[in-house]
Amino acid sequence: MIAYQKAFNLAKEVYLITEKFPKEERFGIVQQIQRAAVSVVSNIAEGAARNSGREKLQFFIIARGSLVELETQLQLSLELKFFQETYIFDRIGDVSRLLYGLIRNRRERL
């Protein structure tokens, strides 16, 4: 599944980026960012593994919520100058479009 692959790569990139954050943020925003990134890929995986279309849809919606949370936390971190790798927002956009397609597809099937 392309959405899973892109979300998996996004999570890896997020971990690499957050390694450079200030050490005092290790137990603050860094943990929140990493958890949100892992939540995106985990919920896509869990949704794909479900048999019910409604269950799939629910997990994809949760993944989208985590993606929005991740984007917000990274926007704040960028404003605070914790990192400069703005390409990550393009990656988030890619995953967002794929998730939107999955959600739309599931809704049409229900």
Side-chain angles (χ1 to χ4, degrees):
M1 177 183 280
I2 295 171
Y4 171 82
Q5 292 169 342
K6 295 252 184 196
F8 188 88
N9 289 334
L10 174 64
K12 288 191 316 186
E13 290 180 63
V14 163
Y15 267 79
L16 293 173
I17 287 172
T18 55
E19 281 180 354
K20 302 170 193 166
F21 278 38
K23 296 299 177 205
E24 61 269 12
E25 290 298 329
R26 177 176 292 145
F27 299 108
I29 200 162
V30 169
Q31 274 190 343
Q32 290 179 341
I33 289 170
Q34 291 173 345
R35 286 180 190 197
V38 170
S39 178
V40 173
V41 69
S42 296
N43 279 292
I44 291 171
E46 191 161 355
R50 296 294 175 143
N51 291 325
S52 159
R54 289 192 191 282
E55 285 180 310
K56 287 179 186 293
L57 176 61
Q58 184 62 30
F59 280 100
F60 295 155
I61 289 170
I62 292 168
R64 185 177 60 184
S66 294
L67 188 64
V68 171
E69 181 182 348
L70 173 63
E71 183 176 27
T72 301
Q73 293 163 350
L74 286 171
Q75 284 286 358
L76 175 61
S77 298
L78 183 66
E79 290 288 319
L80 294 170
K81 302 189 184 327
F82 290 166
F83 76 105
Q84 298 174 349
E85 294 89 341
T86 57
Y87 71 86
I88 198 72
F89 297 105
D90 294 332
R91 305 291 194 280
I92 289 171
D94 293 342
V95 174
S96 180
R97 283 185 288 284
L98 290 165
L99 269 173
Y100 178 77
L102 286 171
I103 291 167
R104 187 182 67 235
N105 180 277
R106 283 289 132 205
R107 283 187 173 144
E108 288 172 358
R109 290 181 179 202
L110 293 178

